Amino acid sequence: MSGLRARARGGRLPWLLAAAALLVAATGFQMASLSQRPVRDLPAVLYLQSPTVARRAVLSFDMLAADLYWLRALQHFGATRLQTSGPRTFENLYPFLDLATSLDPRFVVAYRFGAIFLSESPPGGPGRPDLAVRLLEKGVAATPDRWQYFQDIGFVHYWWTGEYDRAADAFSKGAAIEGAPWWMRSLAAVTLSEGGDRQTSRLLWRSLSQTAENDWLRRDAQRRLTQLDALDHLDQLQAVVARGRLSGLSAPWSWAQLLQAGLLSGVPIDPTGVPYVIDINTGRVDLDRRSTLWPLPTEPRGLPGLAREPR
Amino acid sequence: MGLLRAVALNTFREAVRDRVFYNLLLFAVLLVGTSLIIGQLAAGQDVKIIKDLGLAASLLFGVGIAVFLGIQLVAREVERRSVHATLAKPVSRPVFLLGKYVGLLLTLGVNITVMAVALFAVLAVYQSVTPAGVQATWTAPALDPRLLIALGLIYVELAVVTGVALLFSTYSSALLSATFTTAIWVAGHFVGDLRTVEQIGASGTTVWVARLVSWVLPNLALFDVKAEVVHGLPVPAGQVVAAVGYGAAYGAAMWLIAVAIFQRRDFK
């Protein structure tokens, strides 16, 4: 009997070895096939388009499905931003976020991050503040007691659409919710009176950075504040160039030229430590593309009659 | 009682011999692997996703065991003819079925307990490496004891599914039993829709039949409190007690119907 068992074990080995050899060969074939395949960017496939259908199709795994759609939204947004060739279309971003928030209507981060992603102007984002507001309004419908959604709606209107009355209205609605911070009411007033002013923008971002429940949101707000600092620097540097022009300097513009003229004490660097660049022909000062702050946001346009410092 | 225990323990041992608990290894790998990757991908939602995944995997793996062991509970004994030897002893058919049922519930209980321990262990690690400031922003603590409510109700759902599998196992082949039980499990999540079928345009007899079917099918949505637990929302004790009561009653009813069928079954 034991001999029989031993023979059976011994007889199994060649089969296992042959299987292993075939698996190795299959791997080789797979790699060869992949290397021969033409490179093509497949669009992100949206298997389920209707949130209603999705909710039913996933049975009681709705929370996990929401997480998967959230991850897909993140991947889609990140991958599209990093795309180096072809048009950057974020066509599936809203559907992914819509599905994630329909499957888990209390998915706070999906609403709040989603709104940031959707609002971001091209090429860094789809530039769809309307969809951002729609997503946040969906969040308000799901959990009307979260004042943060109103803060975000106001933010989108303030920063991306420039509709200060709507922004103020959203801040006011948020302020009326129990537990909302006192400064929401001030935001409403300031937005109405001084919308578009950089100081107001700074106030908004600071309020977000101090109250954000999520590390990423906080970091994003802090990055925006740093970008505003960079915008201040750029205004100051542009003023230096203007002074140089008045004192007779002209193209080709360079930092060396301004240093020699005594208008600067060193090569100016942005808050991340990357030197600013100056256009050799026009003297326009800008952020270096290698800076992590690039691209700088387009500032909201000011209220009619409100003076804005020129850049 | 002694006979019941003997049948139940024997069913549990068979499950162990069938290497059912290997799924725990897969569960642990899935949970740990995911938690390692998720931290990089989920933009601060790692704890939520680990909880979602842990609860969903507990349910999915549990349903897999409940269906595929449940359908074999009686069918395999009949196929092997070992049922003859068992029933020839002073083991009544109801006790035999109850023993089988309890044995599988014991297997599922051990399974879900180990899964709960693994889930809490991963969450404990996450909590220990996360700064207190970040933890303060979580909607529910990582080691939220309410997770046990969700896991407990998953167990009750599994008990209901096992009851359905046992019922089919008493008179149908393994393949058909698996198909029927899975179908009932899926349909059990649509009970709410069946009760509001008129909203999609159905009328007359269809509405009546759909309503009737909705009261016959197990309402598995009653056992789903995963969203509430993960978001740290309150789950009323009354809701939980009623759901457990419903599960116990439904499972017992399945056993009774299985007994009624099995009593009349002829073994030649």
Side-chain angles (χ1 to χ4, degrees):
Chain A
M1 197 66 186
S2 62
L4 271 177
R5 265 192 217 128
R7 201 160 50 234
R9 267 201 300 273
R12 202 185 286 168
L13 190 64
W15 296 99
L16 290 174
L17 288 174
L22 282 172
L23 283 174
V24 171
T27 310
F29 282 124
Q30 188 189 161
M31 286 166 72
S33 170
L34 287 172
S35 67
Q36 296 298 312
R37 210 173 159 143
V39 180
R40 53 186 173 169
D41 283 331
L42 291 173
V45 179
L46 201 59
Y47 299 106
L48 289 170
Q49 306 220 3
S50 156
T52 318
V53 173
R55 263 201 308 273
R56 281 165 174 74
V58 299
L59 302 177
S60 68
F61 300 105
D62 44 358
M63 296 287 283
L64 188 65
D67 295 340
L68 293 176
Y69 275 113
W70 166 238
L71 290 176
R72 288 197 74 188
L74 282 175
Q75 299 301 308
H76 178 57
F77 182 69
T80 312
R81 268 168 79 104
L82 292 174
Q83 193 179 304
T84 50
S85 61
R88 289 181 186 172
T89 54
F90 294 84
E91 57 189 356
N92 280 333
L93 184 59
Y94 181 75
F96 282 146
L97 294 165
D98 189 30
L99 282 163
T101 50
S102 296
L103 290 163
D104 180 0
R106 291 181 173 270
F107 207 154
V108 178
V109 167
Y111 293 112
R112 302 195 71 191
F113 279 28
I116 293 174
F117 296 164
L118 288 164
S119 306
E120 188 85 34
S121 19
R128 294 295 304 269
D130 55 325
L131 292 180
V133 171
R134 194 198 292 179
L135 187 70
L136 289 164
E137 281 172 348
K138 193 176 158 191
V140 169
T143 39
D145 56 339
R146 283 197 80 89
W147 56 266
Q148 291 90 340
Y149 293 148
F150 286 106
Q151 183 190 15
D152 293 346
I153 292 173
F155 215 85
V156 172
H157 282 309
Y158 178 90
W159 193 260
W160 300 107
T161 67
E163 294 174 284
Y164 303 121
D165 49 344
R166 286 190 166 193
D169 183 47
F171 291 138
S172 299
K173 281 181 182 162
I177 293 173
E178 201 184 319
W182 59 269
W183 45 257
M184 281 282 280
R185 205 165 291 283
S186 325
L187 274 187
V190 170
T191 304
L192 268 184
S193 60
E194 296 165 43
D197 172 58
R198 194 175 292 161
Q199 271 313 105
T200 313
S201 302
R202 192 168 266 120
L203 182 73
L204 282 170
W205 285 114
R206 193 166 293 132
S207 69
L208 192 66
S209 81
Q210 284 164 2
T211 58
E213 294 167 342
N214 183 286
D215 218 28
W216 192 90
L217 279 176
R218 226 182 341 257
R219 279 205 306 271
D220 186 57
Q222 276 155 4
R223 180 173 172 270
R224 296 290 186 184
L225 283 167
T226 317
Q227 285 182 320
L228 291 178
D229 291 342
L231 284 169
D232 283 347
H233 291 175
L234 288 176
D235 286 346
Q236 287 158 14
L237 289 169
Q238 210 60 66
V240 169
V241 173
R243 278 208 306 277
R245 192 172 273 131
L246 284 175
S247 62
L249 297 180
S250 61
W253 294 96
S254 69
W255 295 129
Q257 185 191 24
L258 293 168
L259 282 166
Q260 276 169 6
L263 292 167
L264 288 174
S265 55
V267 174
I269 53 170
D270 73 24
T272 65
V274 179
Y276 288 105
V277 291
I278 184 164
D279 188 277
I280 196 165
N281 296 314
T282 62
R284 187 183 158 79
V285 185
D286 209 344
L287 210 60
D288 192 306
R289 289 195 166 213
R290 288 170 302 173
S291 170
T292 52
L293 299 177
W294 193 89
L296 286 173
T298 311
E299 286 187 279
R301 62 180 190 278
L303 281 171
L306 191 76
R308 288 271 312 271
E309 288 175 27
R311 265 203 46 197
Chain B
M1 199 62 189
L3 290 172
L4 176 69
R5 206 170 77 178
V7 177
L9 286 178
N10 193 51
T11 307
F12 178 73
R13 276 189 219 107
E14 264 183 46
V16 175
R17 268 201 297 272
D18 283 346
R19 299 185 178 94
V20 163
F21 293 120
Y22 274 19
N23 83 93
L24 292 172
L25 193 66
L26 184 61
F27 178 82
V29 170
L30 183 75
L31 212 58
V32 174
T34 308
S35 60
L36 289 174
I37 299 165
I38 284 303
Q40 317 290 320
L41 295 177
Q45 294 303 288
D46 29 24
V47 166
K48 176 192 181 295
I49 293 181
I50 290 168
K51 283 182 186 177
D52 288 341
L53 183 74
L55 293 174
S58 302
L59 175 61
L60 197 63
F61 285 29
V63 167
I65 295 172
V67 171
F68 290 102
L69 288 192
I71 57 165
Q72 293 176 10
L73 281 177
V74 178
R76 189 155 73 170
E77 297 274 349
V78 175
E79 258 173 43
R80 288 179 182 168
R81 299 184 185 277
S82 52
V83 70
H84 296 203
T86 312
L87 294 179
K89 291 173 185 166
V91 179
S92 67
R93 292 187 183 202
V95 168
F96 173 73
L97 284 184
L98 188 59
K100 286 276 167 195
Y101 190 26
V102 172
L104 187 45
L105 289 186
L106 183 63
T107 310
L108 288 166
V110 171
N111 199 66
I112 209 158
T113 304
V114 178
M115 284 180 174
V117 170
L119 178 59
F120 273 91
V122 171
L123 290 170
V125 171
Y126 248 91
Q127 182 165 279
S128 66
V129 299
T130 308
V134 177
Q135 284 184 35
T137 64
W138 290 344
T139 49
L143 297 176
D144 192 349
R146 277 173 297 195
L147 280 169
L148 294 174
I149 300 175
L151 286 162
L153 286 179
I154 286 174
Y155 180 68
V156 181
E157 177 172 346
L158 297 180
V160 170
V161 175
T162 306
V164 174
L166 174 77
L167 168 61
F168 287 126
S169 171
T170 52
Y171 70 91
S172 187
S173 71
L175 182 66
L176 282 177
S177 297
T179 311
F180 292 152
T181 310
T182 310
I184 295 277
W185 178 65
V186 171
H189 289 97
F190 291 96
V191 164
D193 290 324
L194 285 172
R195 286 181 194 155
T196 54
V197 77
E198 70 276 9
Q199 287 176 7
I200 54 163
S203 59
T205 318
T206 313
V207 173
W208 190 82
V209 171
R211 289 233 175 102
L212 183 71
V213 170
S214 79
W215 290 105
V216 175
L217 284 172
N219 189 352
L220 300 178
L222 295 182
F223 309 116
D224 185 13
V225 293
K226 295 195 286 291
E228 287 85 343
V229 165
V230 170
H231 287 304
L233 300 171
V235 182
Q239 179 194 341
V240 178
V241 171
V244 171
Y246 172 77
Y250 201 95
M254 292 298 103
W255 168 68
L256 287 173
I257 299 170
V259 168
I261 295 168
F262 199 56
Q263 289 278 44
R264 295 176 62 87
R265 192 155 171 190
D266 224 0
F267 298 108
K268 284 182 182 170

XYZ file of all heavy atoms in Angstrom, chain A residues 49-56 58 62-63 65-67 69-70 94-107 110-111 135 138-139 142, chain B residues 227:
295
model
N -24.665 52.771 -16.067
C -24.795 54.216 -16.228
C -25.859 54.792 -15.320
O -25.802 55.957 -14.963
C -25.125 54.538 -17.683
C -24.103 53.926 -18.614
C -23.742 54.825 -19.759
O -24.203 55.938 -19.840
N -22.900 54.352 -20.639
N -26.826 53.977 -14.984
C -27.930 54.504 -14.191
C -27.725 54.185 -12.713
O -27.595 53.020 -12.338
C -29.241 53.881 -14.693
O -30.199 53.917 -13.680
N -27.716 55.212 -11.868
C -27.586 54.956 -10.434
C -28.693 54.048 -9.895
O -28.460 53.231 -9.017
C -27.672 56.355 -9.832
C -27.253 57.279 -10.909
C -27.720 56.646 -12.176
N -29.903 54.200 -10.460
C -31.021 53.369 -9.994
C -30.748 51.903 -10.277
O -30.947 51.033 -9.422
C -32.324 53.801 -10.722
O -32.354 55.215 -10.768
C -33.543 53.281 -10.003
N -30.269 51.626 -11.494
C -29.948 50.242 -11.861
C -28.786 49.742 -11.004
O -28.804 48.624 -10.492
C -29.595 50.161 -13.371
C -29.091 48.769 -13.732
C -30.799 50.516 -14.220
N -27.793 50.601 -10.825
C -26.614 50.202 -10.052
C -27.003 49.803 -8.639
O -26.532 48.793 -8.114
C -25.599 51.345 -10.008
N -27.888 50.604 -8.036
C -28.302 50.310 -6.652
C -28.925 48.928 -6.549
O -28.713 48.206 -5.587
C -29.311 51.358 -6.172
C -28.678 52.471 -5.354
C -29.700 53.172 -4.493
N -30.853 53.612 -5.243
C -30.914 54.788 -5.879
N -29.907 55.610 -5.840
N -31.995 55.123 -6.542
N -29.703 48.549 -7.572
C -30.341 47.240 -7.526
C -29.364 46.131 -7.891
O -29.367 45.060 -7.294
C -31.540 47.217 -8.468
C -32.741 47.893 -7.861
C -33.796 48.206 -8.890
N -34.992 48.723 -8.260
C -35.114 49.941 -7.741
N -34.081 50.763 -7.776
N -36.230 50.341 -7.201
N -26.242 45.778 -7.386
C -25.176 45.406 -6.448
C -25.714 44.746 -5.177
O -24.963 44.483 -4.239
C -24.288 46.614 -6.073
C -23.610 47.173 -7.289
C -25.097 47.688 -5.369
N -23.857 47.742 -1.774
C -23.866 49.118 -2.277
C -22.710 49.958 -1.732
O -22.131 50.767 -2.458
C -25.213 49.801 -1.977
C -25.707 49.549 -0.576
O -25.025 48.818 0.167
O -26.769 50.074 -0.209
N -22.359 49.744 -0.479
C -21.283 50.548 0.111
C -19.947 50.229 -0.567
O -19.161 51.120 -0.888
C -21.180 50.259 1.608
C -22.401 50.659 2.385
S -22.518 52.423 2.539
C -21.301 52.707 3.794
N -19.560 48.920 -3.541
C -19.632 49.394 -4.928
C -19.372 50.903 -4.983
O -18.700 51.396 -5.895
C -20.990 49.059 -5.529
N -19.901 51.628 -3.992
C -19.652 53.082 -3.935
C -18.155 53.349 -3.797
O -17.608 54.243 -4.460
C -20.414 53.698 -2.758
N -17.504 52.565 -2.953
C -16.049 52.738 -2.788
C -15.326 52.498 -4.114
O -14.402 53.234 -4.476
C -15.503 51.735 -1.761
C -16.055 51.989 -0.371
O -16.521 53.107 -0.120
O -16.021 51.056 0.447
N -16.519 52.821 -7.156
C -16.743 53.938 -8.090
C -15.960 55.175 -7.654
O -15.491 55.943 -8.491
C -18.237 54.249 -8.227
C -18.887 53.356 -9.255
C -19.821 52.401 -8.901
C -18.514 53.436 -10.591
C -20.390 51.562 -9.840
C -19.067 52.607 -11.545
C -20.013 51.668 -11.163
O -20.549 50.845 -12.099
N -15.820 55.349 -6.359
C -15.026 56.479 -5.859
C -13.563 56.314 -6.286
O -12.932 57.253 -6.776
C -15.162 56.546 -4.339
C -14.165 57.430 -3.659
C -13.284 57.074 -2.694
C -13.934 58.823 -3.900
N -12.524 58.156 -2.329
C -12.903 59.238 -3.048
C -14.502 59.753 -4.764
C -12.423 60.548 -3.032
C -14.016 61.047 -4.750
C -13.004 61.428 -3.888
N -18.037 62.865 -13.796
C -19.307 63.092 -13.114
C -20.114 61.798 -12.966
O -20.625 61.519 -11.870
C -20.131 64.182 -13.814
C -21.423 64.447 -13.097
C -21.433 65.164 -11.907
C -22.625 63.916 -13.555
C -22.607 65.367 -11.202
C -23.805 64.106 -12.848
C -23.788 64.834 -11.683
O -24.950 65.016 -10.975
N -20.223 60.980 -14.049
C -20.967 59.718 -13.862
C -20.398 58.838 -12.738
O -21.155 58.258 -11.968
C -20.835 59.031 -15.219
C -20.663 60.137 -16.187
C -19.885 61.191 -15.467
N -19.082 58.765 -12.626
C -18.489 57.963 -11.540
C -18.900 58.525 -10.177
O -19.283 57.785 -9.279
C -16.960 57.968 -11.630
C -16.387 57.051 -12.689
C -15.225 57.382 -13.377
C -16.985 55.840 -12.979
C -14.693 56.551 -14.342
C -16.465 54.988 -13.950
C -15.312 55.356 -14.631
N -18.804 59.841 -10.060
C -19.141 60.475 -8.778
C -20.630 60.355 -8.479
O -21.032 60.133 -7.336
C -18.729 61.952 -8.802
C -17.227 62.204 -8.876
C -16.938 63.656 -9.253
C -16.565 61.874 -7.541
N -21.423 60.464 -9.537
C -22.874 60.340 -9.382
C -23.221 58.934 -8.891
O -24.033 58.752 -7.981
C -23.525 60.634 -10.742
C -25.030 60.742 -10.640
O -25.519 61.162 -9.581
O -25.735 60.407 -11.620
N -22.561 57.925 -9.484
C -22.818 56.541 -9.070
C -22.358 56.312 -7.635
O -23.072 55.709 -6.827
C -22.093 55.569 -10.010
C -22.783 55.338 -11.354
C -21.822 54.715 -12.348
C -23.993 54.449 -11.195
N -21.155 56.814 -7.322
C -20.628 56.610 -5.958
C -21.561 57.219 -4.926
O -21.868 56.593 -3.906
C -19.230 57.215 -5.840
N -22.060 58.417 -5.207
C -22.901 59.092 -4.217
C -24.340 58.573 -4.226
O -25.049 58.746 -3.246
C -22.899 60.617 -4.450
O -23.191 60.874 -5.828
C -21.560 61.222 -4.093
N -24.743 57.950 -5.319
C -26.077 57.330 -5.321
C -26.040 56.027 -4.531
O -26.993 55.677 -3.839
C -26.536 57.030 -6.751
O -26.689 58.222 -7.457
N -24.932 55.309 -4.653
C -24.810 54.034 -3.929
C -24.590 54.274 -2.436
O -25.011 53.489 -1.606
C -23.655 53.204 -4.511
C -23.928 52.647 -5.913
C -22.636 52.215 -6.580
C -24.886 51.471 -5.841
N -23.898 55.347 -2.115
C -23.703 55.692 -0.709
C -24.006 57.186 -0.558
O -23.115 58.033 -0.685
C -22.255 55.395 -0.284
C -22.014 55.739 1.175
O -22.956 56.195 1.839
O -20.876 55.541 1.654
N -25.263 57.528 -0.316
C -25.648 58.948 -0.295
C -24.969 59.758 0.814
O -25.064 60.965 0.827
C -27.170 58.904 -0.078
C -27.580 57.521 -0.421
C -26.414 56.646 -0.111
N -24.309 59.082 1.748
C -23.619 59.818 2.821
C -22.110 59.865 2.595
O -21.345 60.074 3.537
C -23.921 59.165 4.168
C -25.341 59.342 4.576
C -25.637 58.733 5.908
N -26.980 59.064 6.324
C -27.291 60.146 7.031
N -26.358 60.980 7.416
N -28.538 60.387 7.367
N -21.686 59.662 1.367
C -20.255 59.609 1.038
C -19.727 61.046 0.943
O -19.538 61.599 -0.142
C -20.067 58.875 -0.280
C -18.738 58.208 -0.433
C -18.602 57.103 -1.260
C -17.618 58.647 0.248
C -17.395 56.456 -1.404
C -16.395 58.021 0.109
C -16.289 56.914 -0.720
N -16.816 62.046 -1.353
C -17.098 61.970 -2.797
C -17.777 63.260 -3.274
O -17.494 63.753 -4.366
C -17.964 60.764 -3.095
N -18.668 63.812 -2.452
C -19.307 65.082 -2.831
C -18.275 66.220 -2.826
O -18.188 66.998 -3.765
C -20.406 65.453 -1.837
C -21.620 64.553 -1.825
C -21.909 63.747 -0.729
C -22.501 64.520 -2.900
C -23.034 62.941 -0.701
C -23.624 63.715 -2.885
C -23.881 62.923 -1.777
O -24.982 62.122 -1.756
N -23.720 68.174 -7.955
C -23.289 67.082 -7.059
C -23.473 67.484 -5.590
O -23.989 66.714 -4.774
C -21.821 66.749 -7.335
C -21.250 65.533 -6.617
C -21.830 64.235 -7.165
C -19.730 65.489 -6.747
N -26.979 67.495 -4.524
C -27.410 66.114 -4.242
C -27.023 65.741 -2.805
O -27.781 65.081 -2.093
C -26.715 65.186 -5.247
C -27.264 63.799 -5.303
C -26.531 63.041 -6.408
C -26.609 61.565 -6.202
N -25.707 60.834 -7.096
N -25.844 66.174 -2.399
C -25.387 65.926 -1.030
C -26.284 66.623 -0.026
O -26.627 66.058 1.014
N -29.371 64.688 0.423
C -29.178 63.455 1.208
C -28.989 63.752 2.690
O -29.533 63.053 3.543
C -27.979 62.681 0.665
N -24.326 50.367 6.019
C -24.133 51.800 5.755
C -24.221 52.605 7.054
O -23.381 53.474 7.316
C -25.189 52.285 4.762
